[in-house]
Amino acid sequence: MRDVTPDNITEVFTGYFGPDTDPRFKEVMGALARHLHAFTKEVGLTHDEWRAGLKAMEWAAEITTPERNEFVLMSDVLGLSSLVDMVNSHPGATSSSVLGPFHVSDAPPIAMGADLKGDFEGEVLLVQGQVRDLDGNPIPGAKLDIWQTAPNGLYSSQDPDQDIMSFHGLMTADEEGRYAFTTVRPVEYTVPTDGPVGQILNAAGRHPWRPSHLHFIITADGCRELVTEVFPEDDPYLDQDTVFGVRRDLVMSYEPQPAGTFPEGFDLSGKVDGAWSKVNFDFKLLRR
Amino acid sequence: MRDVTPDNITEVFTGYFGPDTDPRFKEVMGALARHLHAFTKEVGLTHDEWRAGLKAMEWAAEITTPERNEFVLMSDVLGLSSLVDMVNSHPGATSSSVLGPFHVSDAPPIAMGADLKGDFEGEVLLVQGQVRDLDGNPIPGAKLDIWQTAPNGLYSSQDPDQDIMSFHGLMTADEEGRYAFTTVRPVEYTVPTDGPVGQILNAAGRHPWRPSHLHFIITADGCRELVTEVFPEDDPYLDQDTVFGVRRDLVMSYEPQPAGTFPEGFDLSGKVDGAWSKVNFDFKLLRR
Ligand SMILES: [Cu+2]
Ligand SMILES: [Fe+3]
Ligand SMILES: [Fe+3]
């Protein structure tokens, strides 16, 4: 086009697509360009602001490694990652929520009633529930890949003092789709703030905290994989998760239990003297 | 928010801004998030597509260097760079157009009538014109930073066989705001296609070509800097510039001149035997 204008640029852009372009590619790229064009026009983006955006990308490029991806974090704090989770959630199923960067592949299998707490300090937390389909039928043998922070707020992959598989386990649900394990309460933590995302949060007057949570990836034959997190209702950051991961159906509660009531059937049975807490959380998976 | 939904996520995002946030930062980031959220919802972006977008950013990060910035190129082929140029252009002034990655700082001063062609092959091209303000008053002493491709399609910074200042010069306009120099016709070229931008262009069925052009950065005391390019009307890619740089007022024409008519007052005067061409192009700068 020899006469590109702010009014026709989106049209010119879509006019450049070749005749054999994949229709979905065209739809996604065309919409991306249209919304970015609308943004640029609406705010009258200046050259300095455009350059500041590019500087943020260049800085993100410099500090991104296989272990620390600043582009994913940028998507997280803009709410994009959570929005992708939400638009791909099925209304009847348990909501998905951000995977985050701290998942470790090949977690060790753990048996029903196993313990993740080990020698770490803190009150024993018993977590249990059932994996069902949308009709309420249990899903026997569902696999639950479980991980969380240690009491110091660090995941094993961040903490040289932890074994890499500390607070990680892969549990197989029983014949009734039930799972149960012991651990300690996960704690709230901050996203990394030493890059452009930290600078953006700071300029926005936002804190970098996430509410504490237990991570789960749940898979079962014939079901859609569920990547999610569950959050305690009494967490101070529940209403201000900096990556927008909380959904109403992912909120659970710690139920305090008096000393001397810890049940049989757990690795820790007979070893819990004081008070402990319990979480009941059921998952609903979508059958494909 | 413990109940983030696709409907309220933009509101939740803007609700996170602190009370002391700079209002312009809030406006720009709020609008960016709103348009990206709208895009994500409109197309129902899948996790695979989200990951493909992140892979493109990671690949761009890997190949970006001070000399080759894939993020700028991404902005260019999406039409964003040109749109920023357009929304910041003043209607009465000459349009601005993309700076591109090939500008070299500290170009050598060249005198009125100087030659950039040197020993390169090709018909002599005489380029001349006047720098004026919006009222038509000449701007004496305006500085014109000029650069272009060699006949092989390469800028000096891309071509080990060229001196780094080949086809680069800094001219000072005369008392009447006039400039004049000789050169050869610049040629069309492609943007780099060996990164994610090349992959996107390919998937879109788009070519990577830019129409040929002369680059100018024009500065003068009391005037807004003008970064622009001018394009010949007979270029085959004039209507399909892959970075959307062409504007109607930036199109010029090569006027063919018979042998033996080359004028006095140029470094090449007396040395041009054959036919030559002429370009007249005037610039209008905005006074601040
Ligand atoms: Cu939009
Ligand atoms: Fe986490
Ligand atoms: Fe160029």
Side-chain angles (χ1 to χ4, degrees):
Chain A
M1 200 24 145
R2 77 191 59 198
D3 197 18
V4 178
T5 67
D7 288 336
N8 72 12
I9 188 157
T10 303
E11 240 176 294
V12 174
F13 179 90
T14 51
Y16 279 5
F17 283 122
D20 301 327
T21 311
D22 174 76
R24 175 64 180 170
F25 181 87
K26 225 159 137 173
E27 180 186 5
V28 172
M29 289 302 292
L32 179 62
R34 173 161 38 80
H35 286 283
L36 288 175
H37 294 167
F39 156 70
T40 305
K41 289 189 272 186
E42 178 185 318
V43 303
L45 198 71
T46 68
H47 282 99
D48 281 350
E49 289 163 346
W50 176 79
R51 272 187 290 267
L54 284 167
K55 281 272 163 256
M57 302 313 281
E58 290 157 24
W59 188 6
E62 273 166 39
I63 62 175
T64 291
T65 62
E67 288 75 38
R68 190 259 172 93
N69 191 316
E70 190 80 357
F71 297 104
V72 172
L73 187 59
M74 190 87 77
S75 164
D76 292 349
V77 302
L78 286 172
L80 285 181
S81 311
S82 279
L83 190 51
V84 171
D85 284 338
M86 289 189 282
V87 299
N88 291 288
S89 283
H90 187 280
T94 299
S95 295
S96 58
S97 183
V98 289
L99 172 64
F102 302 118
H103 180 243
V104 174
S105 295
D106 301 318
I110 54 173
M112 184 68 60
D115 176 55
L116 297 176
K117 177 178 186 292
D119 294 327
F120 284 89
E121 290 294 307
E123 194 190 74
V124 169
L125 179 67
L126 189 162
V127 184
Q128 63 185 15
Q130 193 183 26
V131 183
R132 294 192 295 261
D133 67 16
L134 300 203
D135 296 327
N137 303 311
I139 302 179
K143 305 272 183 203
L144 297 96
D145 192 349
I146 303 157
W147 72 107
Q148 68 169 86
T149 58
N152 65 358
L154 297 177
Y155 287 92
S156 61
S157 58
Q158 302 174 289
D159 187 355
D161 292 340
Q162 283 181 65
D163 183 274
I164 187 66
M165 289 307 176
S166 153
F167 290 107
H168 285 77
L170 181 67
M171 177 166 285
T172 303
D174 70 11
E175 284 307 298
E176 291 187 308
R178 294 193 183 278
Y179 73 94
F181 61 95
T182 53
T183 183
V184 286
R185 296 185 188 200
V187 298
E188 57 271 29
Y189 59 86
T190 66
V191 299
T193 55
D194 56 339
V197 166
Q199 201 176 53
I200 289 168
L201 292 178
N202 192 45
R206 279 171 60 175
H207 67 68
W209 289 92
R210 297 211 61 204
S212 62
H213 51 270
L214 293 161
H215 286 277
F216 292 90
I217 298 176
I218 307 180
T219 50
D221 282 349
C223 292
R224 183 148 144 193
E225 179 184 73
L226 174 66
V227 178
T228 195
E229 313 168 282
V230 301
F231 305 87
E233 63 179 359
D234 60 357
D235 192 285
Y237 296 107
L238 194 68
D239 280 320
Q240 332 163 24
D241 181 359
T242 202
V243 307
F244 307 91
V246 183
R247 323 268 175 267
R248 187 178 291 273
D249 69 313
L250 299 179
V251 178
M252 47 79 167
S253 55
Y254 294 130
E255 298 160 27
Q257 310 290 325
T261 60
F262 192 82
E264 291 303 303
F266 285 81
D267 283 8
L268 292 188
S269 298
K271 298 174 196 156
V272 179
D273 297 327
W276 53 286
S277 286
K278 192 166 71 175
V279 164
N280 278 299
F281 198 89
D282 297 342
F283 296 95
K284 282 189 278 180
L285 298 198
L286 182 68
R287 292 208 187 264
R288 277 191 294 233
Chain B
M1 200 24 145
R2 77 192 58 197
D3 197 17
V4 178
T5 67
D7 288 336
N8 72 11
I9 188 159
T10 303
E11 238 177 296
V12 175
F13 179 90
T14 52
Y16 278 6
F17 282 122
D20 303 326
T21 311
D22 174 75
R24 175 65 180 171
F25 181 87
K26 226 159 135 172
E27 181 187 6
V28 172
M29 288 303 292
L32 179 62
R34 172 161 39 79
H35 285 283
L36 288 175
H37 294 166
F39 155 71
T40 304
K41 289 188 273 186
E42 178 185 318
V43 303
L45 197 71
T46 68
H47 282 98
D48 281 350
E49 290 163 345
W50 176 78
R51 272 187 290 266
L54 284 167
K55 282 273 163 255
M57 301 314 281
E58 291 158 23
W59 188 6
E62 274 166 38
I63 62 174
T64 290
T65 63
E67 288 76 40
R68 189 258 172 94
N69 191 316
E70 190 81 357
F71 296 104
V72 173
L73 187 59
M74 189 88 77
S75 165
D76 292 349
V77 301
L78 286 172
L80 284 182
S81 311
S82 279
L83 189 50
V84 170
D85 284 337
M86 289 189 283
V87 299
N88 291 289
S89 284
H90 186 279
T94 300
S95 296
S96 59
S97 184
V98 289
L99 172 63
F102 303 118
H103 180 244
V104 175
S105 297
D106 302 317
I110 56 174
M112 183 68 58
D115 175 56
L116 298 176
K117 177 178 185 295
D119 295 328
F120 284 89
E121 290 293 307
E123 193 188 75
V124 169
L125 179 67
L126 189 162
V127 184
Q128 63 186 15
Q130 193 182 26
V131 184
R132 295 192 295 262
D133 67 16
L134 299 202
D135 296 327
N137 303 312
I139 303 178
K143 305 272 182 201
L144 297 95
D145 193 347
I146 302 157
W147 72 107
Q148 68 169 85
T149 58
N152 65 359
L154 297 177
Y155 287 92
S156 61
S157 59
Q158 301 174 290
D159 186 356
D161 292 340
Q162 283 181 66
D163 183 276
I164 187 67
M165 288 308 175
S166 152
F167 290 107
H168 285 76
L170 181 68
M171 176 165 286
T172 303
D174 71 11
E175 285 306 299
E176 291 188 308
R178 295 193 182 279
Y179 74 93
F181 62 95
T182 53
T183 183
V184 286
R185 296 184 189 202
V187 299
E188 57 271 29
Y189 60 85
T190 65
V191 299
T193 55
D194 56 340
V197 166
Q199 201 177 52
I200 289 168
L201 292 178
N202 192 46
R206 278 171 61 175
H207 67 69
W209 289 93
R210 297 211 60 204
S212 62
H213 50 270
L214 293 161
H215 285 277
F216 292 90
I217 298 176
I218 307 180
T219 50
D221 281 350
C223 292
R224 184 150 142 192
E225 179 184 74
L226 174 65
V227 179
T228 195
E229 314 168 283
V230 301
F231 305 87
E233 63 180 358
D234 60 356
D235 193 286
Y237 296 107
L238 194 68
D239 280 321
Q240 332 162 24
D241 181 359
T242 203
V243 307
F244 309 90
V246 183
R247 322 268 176 266
R248 186 178 293 273
D249 68 314
L250 299 178
V251 179
M252 46 81 167
S253 55
Y254 294 130
E255 298 161 27
Q257 310 289 327
T261 59
F262 192 82
E264 291 303 305
F266 284 81
D267 283 8
L268 293 188
S269 299
K271 298 174 196 157
V272 180
D273 298 327
W276 53 287
S277 285
K278 192 165 71 174
V279 164
N280 279 298
F281 197 89
D282 297 342
F283 296 96
K284 283 189 276 179
L285 298 198
L286 182 68
R287 292 208 187 263
R288 277 190 294 233

